[in-house]
Amino acid sequence: MAKEIYEMMQERANITAQLREVMNRNDAEEMNADDKATYDRLEKEFDKLNASITREQKQLERERAAGEVAEVQRDNAKNKIVDMFGRALRGDQGDIAAYRNTTQTLGTNANAGYLTAPVEFVNRLIAGLKDDMFMRQICDVVGPIGNAQSLGYPTLTADASDIEWTTEIAAAPEEATISFGRREFKPQRLAKLIKISRTLMRHAPSPDQTVLDRILYKVEAAQENAYMNGAGTNGPLGVFVASANGVPEARDITSAAAAITADDMIETKYAVKGQYTRNASWVMHRDLCKTLAKLKGSDGQYIWQPSVQMGQPDRLLGAPVYMSEYAPNTYTAGKYAAVYGDFRTGYMICDGDGLYIQVLNELYAPNNSIGYLVEYFGDGAPVVGEAFARLKIKGS
C-alpha cells in the first residue's frame, strides 16, 4: 500500500508540473480553448488523485493503529502464558489445569501428566547456552535442522596437487589425487531428569528462573563434555579423541619430555597451517593454564598474556585460551594436554530440533519433588582435521 501511495504522489507531482506549464504559457492573456480544456482535465485528475491519496493514507494509519493493538494483545497473551507456566512450575493443581487448557501448550494426563514449556522459556534457555558456553561461541553452529534425519557435510579427504606451469599449447596436467568425503550429523538425544523440592519451588520468587538456571547448567555441562571427550557413538565426537572421522593421530604433537615446556606449546601452534591460525584458539584445563602462566620463552618473557579486558580470555602465543573443566588434566605418559586450532572452520555443532522440557508435577509428589525432563537433539564433530593440533605427553 505504501508503494501505491508513493506512485500516486509521483503522478500528482507530474500533473502539478503540467498545470504550471499551461499556466506559464497563458500568464499574460486568456487561455485559448485547447489550453483551457487541457487545464480543466488536469485539474480534475489532480483532485481525483489527491482524494485517493488522502483516503489511502487514512486507511494506512488505521491499519497501523490496529496492528499496534494486535501486537500488544499478542505480547500480553505471551506474557500471560509465561506467567501461568511459572506458577504451574510450583506444582499448584489449579495453575496446572489452567495451563494445560490453553491452546498454546501441549499436555496430557498420561504417565502422571506433564507440561510442555512455552517457546519463550525455551528461547531463553537456548540464548543462555549461546552466551555461557564457549564452544558454541567459537565453533560453527548450524541448525536446527527440523524434521531432517541427518545433515550431510562434504569433507576434503585428499587435497589436490599443486597447479603446474606448462607451455602454451601443451595439455593441462590432469588432477588425480583430490577426493571428497561426507560427514553425517544425526540428531542424537541428550536427556536429563532434574528433581527440585516442591517446597523450594513454592517459595522461589521466580520459579521459572530457578528451573532455567539448573537446566542451563546441566545441558551446558553435558554438551561441553561431549565436545571435548565424546566418542562419536550416540553423541558428538570430541576434539580430544583421536579418530579418522575427527582429529586423527597424525595431528598429535608429542612433548619433548614428561614436563610441558614453552617449546612444546610453540611446536603445537606451528603444526597448524597459517590459514587456520588467524582464528585459532587454545582449549585446555585450568590446571595446565596455571602451569603455562609460569613458563618463559627463550627470550626470558612469559609466553602467557593475561587478559586486561573484562570478558576477554587470556592469550597464549597470541591466541585466546579457553578453559574447560572437561579438558584432560591427567598429565601422564600418552595423555592429551591441550588442543590448538581453528574451531570455527574445524568443528561443527549441529542442533537437531531445539530443546524440549516436560514438567512432571505428580510423578514425584510422594517425595515432595517436581521432576523436570529435558531433551536436546543434536550432534557435533571435527570436520577439518588439519585445522587442529593436539599436544600429547611423551611416553616412557
Side-chain angles (χ1 to χ4, degrees):
M1 183 176 293
K3 181 180 179 181
E4 294 174 357
I5 293 175
Y6 174 78
E7 290 174 349
M8 285 191 292
M9 286 180 171
Q10 291 292 102
E11 187 176 352
R12 184 178 63 180
N14 183 43
I15 291 175
T16 300
Q18 293 180 57
L19 285 168
R20 172 58 63 185
E21 184 180 344
V22 173
M23 292 172 64
N24 289 341
R25 285 202 306 266
N26 298 274
D27 191 38
E29 57 185 49
E30 291 292 330
M31 291 185 185
N32 58 43
D34 290 340
D35 282 348
K36 183 67 169 66
T38 300
Y39 186 88
D40 291 342
R41 176 179 57 80
L42 290 173
E43 193 173 46
K44 289 179 181 179
E45 291 180 6
F46 178 91
D47 292 341
K48 183 179 179 181
L49 267 175
N50 203 46
S52 296
I53 291 171
T54 301
R55 285 196 303 271
E56 291 292 347
Q57 287 176 330
K58 287 183 178 179
Q59 180 61 21
L60 192 61
E61 286 298 322
R62 286 192 287 264
E63 292 175 356
R64 183 180 294 112
E68 290 172 354
V69 172
E71 188 64 34
V72 170
Q73 291 174 343
R74 282 194 293 271
D75 289 341
N76 289 339
K78 288 181 180 179
N79 292 335
K80 183 179 179 181
I81 293 299
V82 172
D83 291 342
M84 189 182 298
F85 178 68
R87 294 192 301 270
L89 291 178
R90 291 191 172 101
D92 296 334
Q93 294 302 317
D95 289 314
I96 293 171
Y99 182 81
R100 281 209 187 97
N101 289 334
T102 60
T103 58
Q104 289 87 349
T105 62
L106 301 174
T108 67
N109 289 317
N111 301 322
Y114 67 81
L115 306 176
T116 302
V119 174
E120 290 76 12
F121 183 88
V122 175
N123 286 343
R124 284 164 56 202
L125 179 58
I126 294 174
L129 286 173
K130 290 179 179 178
D131 291 340
D132 293 346
M133 189 174 168
F134 78 84
M135 283 293 284
R136 295 186 73 91
Q137 297 176 28
I138 66 175
C139 295
D140 182 18
V141 181
V142 298
I145 62 175
N147 295 324
Q149 295 298 310
S150 65
L151 174 67
Y153 182 86
T155 59
L156 183 65
T157 56
D159 203 355
S161 57
D162 293 340
I163 297 178
E164 303 174 31
W165 294 99
T166 184
T167 59
E168 181 179 356
I169 59 174
E174 183 177 349
E175 171 56 42
T177 60
I178 190 170
S179 63
F180 293 90
R182 177 184 173 90
R183 297 279 173 81
E184 289 289 337
F185 289 86
K186 298 181 179 180
Q188 308 289 349
R189 180 173 179 253
L190 171 67
K192 190 69 175 180
L193 176 62
I194 302 171
K195 290 185 285 186
I196 300 179
S197 164
R198 187 183 296 271
T199 302
L200 171 62
M201 292 304 299
R202 283 180 174 174
H203 291 87
S206 300
D208 57 334
Q209 190 61 48
T210 300
V211 174
L212 190 71
D213 290 343
R214 295 307 301 163
I215 292 176
L216 179 63
Y217 171 75
K218 292 297 183 182
V219 173
E220 179 181 326
Q223 288 184 341
E224 186 171 312
N225 189 16
Y227 301 148
M228 298 291 110
N229 307 299
T233 303
N234 297 327
L237 177 62
V239 290
F240 285 105
V241 176
S243 171
N245 295 321
V247 183
E249 290 186 6
R251 304 305 306 154
D252 293 346
I253 303 299
T254 303
S255 64
I260 297 174
T261 66
D263 287 348
D264 294 327
M265 308 311 296
I266 294 173
E267 289 288 341
T268 304
K269 174 180 178 178
Y270 289 102
V272 175
K273 291 180 179 179
Q275 61 262 36
Y276 300 115
T277 59
R278 188 180 304 107
N279 298 313
S281 306
W282 296 91
V283 172
M284 62 188 73
H285 194 275
R286 57 188 168 87
D287 289 347
L288 182 57
C289 291
K290 180 175 63 176
T291 299
L292 296 177
K294 304 174 184 178
L295 295 182
K296 295 181 180 181
S298 57
D299 57 359
Q301 299 297 317
Y302 287 103
I303 64 173
W304 191 269
Q305 299 166 294
S307 175
V308 295
Q309 184 177 350
M310 182 67 70
Q312 295 299 314
D314 295 335
R315 303 181 78 85
L316 174 65
L317 300 175
V321 180
Y322 293 94
M323 291 184 288
S324 172
E325 291 297 298
Y326 297 100
N329 67 335
T330 303
Y331 307 116
T332 56
K335 299 290 186 180
Y336 289 122
V339 62
Y340 170 85
D342 182 352
F343 286 80
R344 184 74 62 188
T345 300
Y347 197 97
M348 178 180 285
I349 296 173
C350 178
D351 291 331
D353 194 20
L355 284 158
Y356 297 93
I357 303 168
Q358 293 181 354
V359 186
L360 306 172
N361 286 279
E362 295 90 350
L363 191 59
Y364 302 102
N367 295 325
N368 193 37
S369 297
I370 303 176
Y372 302 92
L373 178 61
V374 185
E375 291 182 307
Y376 161 82
F377 293 85
D379 203 356
V383 292
V384 181
E386 70 171 12
F388 299 99
R390 276 186 308 242
L391 178 60
K392 179 187 286 189
I393 307 297
K394 181 181 181 180
S396 56

